[in-house]
């Protein structure tokens, strides 16, 4: 096990992260980041807005959007690309992969050494240069399967 990177959790670390990336750690930004880190479901901007609004009633959806875009630009959060869904955000910038439920659209993180070591095919150079590899598995999650069983 590698020692975990201490710059990835907690408010003090958030401030450090911001400084390193030239972002001002304002109160609103801290709250947005905290709200994202508190969840594992890769929320969209609207969901985060609803959560942050409880603590910061004056915040606007636009601010949440702009902040998330800034965080993404600076590599503080990642955007999850799920087809046909609204933009979703990921506070986990450790190397990981996703399991996407095709029914409830929940996106869950998982870790796998084999996937981390995946070799990209040579032919990909035709399309561009690879920065990172992320595997997305799709299926029906256990919760949805249980619900289905209950109904039948
Ligand atoms: Zn599901
Ligand atoms: Zn994730």
């Amino acid at each position: 096990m590698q020692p975990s990177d201490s710059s990835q959790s907690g408010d003090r670390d958030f401030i450090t992260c911001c400084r390193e990336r030239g972002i001002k750690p304002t109160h609103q930004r801290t709250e947005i980041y905290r709200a994202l880190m508190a969840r594992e479901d890769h929320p969209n901007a609207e969901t985060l807005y609803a959560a942050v609004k409880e603590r910061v009633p004056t915040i606007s959806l636009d601010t949440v959007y702009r902040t998330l875009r800034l965080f993404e630009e600076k590599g503080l959060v990642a955007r999850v690309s799920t087809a046909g869904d609204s933009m979703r955000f990921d506070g986990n910038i450790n190397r990981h992969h996703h399991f996407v439920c095709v029914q409830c659209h929940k996106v869950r993180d998982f870790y796998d050494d084999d996937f981390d070591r995946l070799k990209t095919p040579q032919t990909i150079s035709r399309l561009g240069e690879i920065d990172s590899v992320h595997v997305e598995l799709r299926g029906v999650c256990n919760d949805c399967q249980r619900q289905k069983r209950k109904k039948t």
Side-chain angles (χ1 to χ4, degrees), residues 40 42 80 89-92 94 96-98 107-110 134:
E40 285 178 358
H42 305 76
V80 183
F89 294 90
D90 195 340
N92 183 358
N94 291 308
H96 69 283
H97 307 279
H98 285 147
V107 181
R108 309 288 291 274
D109 292 345
F110 71 91
H134 153 252

Side-chain angles (χ1 to χ4, degrees), residues 101 104 141 144:
C101 176
C104 65
C141 75
C144 287

Side-chain angles (χ1 to χ4, degrees), residues 36-53:
L36 178 60
M37 294 308 279
R39 316 174 61 107
E40 285 178 358
D41 61 348
H42 305 76
N44 59 22
E46 286 81 2
T47 308
L48 275 177
Y49 168 64
V52 175
K53 208 172 158 46

Side-chain angles (χ1 to χ4, degrees), residues 99 101-106 139-145:
F99 175 85
C101 176
V102 295
Q103 273 175 26
C104 65
H105 303 293
K106 263 191 199 138
V140 179
C141 75
N142 289 337
D143 287 346
C144 287
Q145 288 192 41

Side-chain angles (χ1 to χ4, degrees), residues 1-149:
M1 281 279 276
Q2 289 202 325
S4 65
D5 185 351
S6 65
S7 68
Q8 283 170 3
S9 61
D11 281 356
R12 211 193 57 220
D13 296 332
F14 172 70
I15 293 168
T16 314
C17 269
C18 281
R19 290 229 174 90
E20 283 169 5
R21 292 168 167 86
I23 309 172
K24 243 203 196 144
T26 62
H27 174 59
Q28 293 195 336
R29 286 173 182 167
T30 309
E31 289 295 341
I32 293 167
Y33 186 74
R34 190 188 282 162
L36 178 60
M37 294 308 279
R39 316 174 61 107
E40 285 178 358
D41 61 348
H42 305 76
N44 59 22
E46 286 81 2
T47 308
L48 275 177
Y49 168 64
V52 175
K53 208 172 158 46
E54 282 177 23
R55 298 172 57 98
V56 191
T58 53
I59 203 158
S60 71
L61 179 59
D62 191 52
T63 302
V64 175
Y65 266 119
R66 271 186 289 120
T67 304
L68 288 169
R69 222 163 274 155
L70 175 74
F71 284 172
E72 190 205 350
E73 233 177 75
K74 302 285 186 181
L76 210 54
V77 308
R79 197 193 292 192
V80 183
S81 51
T82 49
D85 202 358
S86 59
M87 218 188 284
R88 314 222 348 211
F89 294 90
D90 195 340
N92 183 358
I93 52 171
N94 291 308
R95 183 142 208 212
H96 69 283
H97 307 279
H98 285 147
F99 175 85
V100 182
C101 176
V102 295
Q103 273 175 26
C104 65
H105 303 293
K106 263 191 199 138
V107 181
R108 309 288 291 274
D109 292 345
F110 71 91
Y111 299 86
D112 186 87
D113 289 343
D114 288 337
F115 282 176
D116 288 352
R117 282 194 293 264
L118 271 187
K119 276 220 170 64
T120 50
Q122 287 275 298
T123 49
I124 218 79
S125 61
R126 219 160 31 94
L127 303 174
E129 205 176 293
I130 307 297
D131 287 335
S132 63
V133 178
H134 153 252
V135 179
E136 182 176 296
L137 300 178
R138 287 170 172 263
V140 179
C141 75
N142 289 337
D143 287 346
C144 287
Q145 288 192 41
R146 255 193 301 275
Q147 291 225 322
K148 209 163 123 198
R149 269 198 298 272

